[in-house]
Amino acid sequence: MPKKAKKAIRLSAAEQHLLDRAMAAQQQAYAPYSRFQVGAALQSENGEIFIGVNLENASYGATVCAERNAVAQAVSQGQRKFVQLAVVTSASPPAPPCGMCLQVLVEFCPDLRILLANPEGEVERTRLSRLLPRSFVHPK
Ligand code: THU
């Protein structure tokens, strides 16, 4: 079946910049086992950008995803309020963050704007509340 052509979306300069950072980060991913490289770029409210890549391990369960590594970078440097996340993988259509990463993102920003993309130029704009509409919240 022929692939349905998806309408190209117009990105703001800020979105394009964040995507470029995630795209560059993807090249640094350490993924010798899955060969699935992931790059993430997380922008905090003060305009800083924190990147993360997936970090695999011979003991597979020790692997950490790109998105959670980006959050760890940001929080380690005192930033906890985020405005946008860009995630780049080789998947088509572009892949969303895994459930564990969504839950970690919700901890800090329940309605984060998210760009999903691949190096072929496919881009999807979505939001965390859409990808994880009913997250776990800590019981009072
Ligand atoms: N991975 C991420 O980095 N982010 C996700 O949200 C999903 C999966 C990584 C983990 C592993 O290194 C590879 O992709 C295949 O699962």
Side-chain angles (χ1 to χ4, degrees):
M1 220 168 51
K3 251 190 176 174
K4 222 172 150 190
K6 237 194 148 194
K7 216 177 102 196
I9 64 168
R10 191 183 280 276
L11 298 176
S12 68
E15 286 175 323
Q16 188 61 60
H17 179 64
L18 195 64
L19 204 54
D20 290 346
R21 293 292 305 272
M23 204 80 77
Q26 193 203 11
Q27 302 301 312
Q28 309 302 329
Y30 179 72
Y33 304 105
S34 73
R35 307 241 168 241
F36 187 73
Q37 295 185 289
V38 186
L42 182 64
Q43 185 158 27
S44 53
E45 246 180 29
N46 69 347
E48 277 185 83
I49 293 175
F50 300 89
I51 59 167
V53 299
N54 51 334
L55 181 65
E56 297 189 344
N57 191 272
S59 177
Y60 300 164
T63 292
V64 184
C65 295
E67 298 88 330
R68 277 178 290 141
N69 277 330
V71 171
Q73 286 283 335
V75 173
S76 302
Q77 291 180 56
Q79 295 304 311
R80 296 179 180 178
K81 290 189 170 164
F82 307 118
V83 292
Q84 184 137 315
L85 169 74
V87 181
V88 173
T89 67
S90 58
S92 176
C98 76
M100 203 186 282
C101 288
L102 294 175
Q103 181 69 36
V104 168
L105 290 164
V106 150
E107 181 84 11
F108 297 100
C109 186
D111 205 13
L112 187 65
R113 288 183 284 138
I114 300 180
L115 290 172
L116 308 174
N118 63 35
E120 281 64 53
E122 286 181 275
V123 185
E124 182 187 333
R125 195 187 269 122
T126 186
R127 312 188 72 93
L128 185 51
S129 59
R130 183 148 182 247
L131 297 175
L132 190 64
R134 197 169 169 206
S135 63
F136 176 75
V137 287
H138 200 275
K140 290 251 155 60

